[in-house]
Amino acid sequence: MQKNNSVLIINGPNLNLLGNRENKIYGRTTLKKLNEKLKKKANLLNIYLKSFQSNSESELINKIHNSKKNINYMIINLAAFTHTSIAIRDALISVEIPFIEVHISNIYSRESFRSNSWISDISKGIICGLGTYGYFLALKTIYKRLNLKNI
Ligand code: DQA
């Protein structure tokens, strides 16, 4: 696979429970199913897609550090760390890998603390409130951007 087509999806804490957690907000698709579908879509787009989920801030930071050489774009749902982690923000700034921020729910229509994201201003785009479809939109957008289509 070409070097310029590697995309990493990062999912933060509690997203391993997707499909079994607050279904009204996060839906019924499991993370495993979602990743399978995203990988199928990525194959069609000739994108080499990897995915990583962790409940640990340090593991997420290490993954970001280790992606510097081999990842061209990321799709990131930091879950609760979105609202708290300056350490992950700093890691993202350090590696300079472009990324799209995704949230399954509309973080602006929930508790007020969810309206603050420490990574929105350094992202290349934000998708929220569209359910798990947001990940697919992010992937399609990245495909177009990596292939220098004008979006
Ligand atoms: C979330 C929104 C966050 O506020 C929350 O902590 C999550 C998931 C979302 O995808 O909607 O765990 O990032």
Side-chain angles (χ1 to χ4, degrees):
M1 188 57 63
Q2 285 174 344
K3 165 84 178 107
N4 69 347
N5 275 7
S6 293
V7 174
L8 173 67
I9 302 185
I10 292 186
N11 280 301
N14 301 307
L15 289 169
N16 55 314
L17 299 180
L18 210 58
N20 300 302
R21 168 196 184 205
E22 296 177 90
N23 296 130
K24 279 199 181 126
I25 298 176
Y26 299 115
R28 298 202 170 268
T29 311
T30 63
L31 187 59
K32 188 167 179 272
K33 262 258 141 42
L34 176 64
N35 281 333
E36 280 168 12
K37 284 186 185 168
L38 284 164
K39 280 192 181 150
K40 268 191 195 159
K41 186 73 190 169
N43 283 343
L44 294 174
L45 298 175
N46 205 26
I47 285 176
Y48 181 54
L49 187 69
K50 295 180 197 171
S51 55
F52 180 77
Q53 187 278 331
S54 178
N55 296 323
S56 147
E57 192 173 22
S58 68
E59 279 182 12
L60 291 164
I61 290 170
N62 289 337
K63 187 69 182 178
I64 291 165
H65 289 174
N66 295 334
S67 298
K68 187 170 172 62
K69 286 211 177 96
N70 55 3
I71 295 295
N72 306 106
Y73 227 109
M74 296 188 288
I75 297 170
I76 303 187
N77 184 350
L78 279 187
F81 288 145
T82 307
H83 320 298
T84 62
S85 182
I86 296 174
I88 297 179
R89 174 190 172 86
D90 284 348
L92 290 168
I93 291 172
S94 304
V95 297
E96 295 181 322
I97 303 168
F99 69 91
I100 294 178
E101 176 182 0
V102 170
H103 298 283
I104 297 166
S105 65
N106 179 355
I107 56 174
Y108 300 102
S109 69
R110 301 180 63 192
E111 302 97 321
S112 60
F113 63 82
R114 293 187 203 274
S115 297
N116 174 59
S117 164
W118 286 107
I119 63 167
S120 290
D121 64 310
I122 56 166
S123 75
K124 297 290 181 195
I126 306 151
I127 299 170
C128 83
L130 303 185
T132 51
Y133 182 56
Y135 292 90
F136 293 88
L137 279 181
L139 190 63
K140 203 169 168 186
T141 303
I142 290 169
Y143 166 76
K144 294 192 174 180
R145 289 184 179 172
L146 289 177
N147 287 283
L148 303 179
K149 305 240 165 82
N150 200 16
I151 66 161

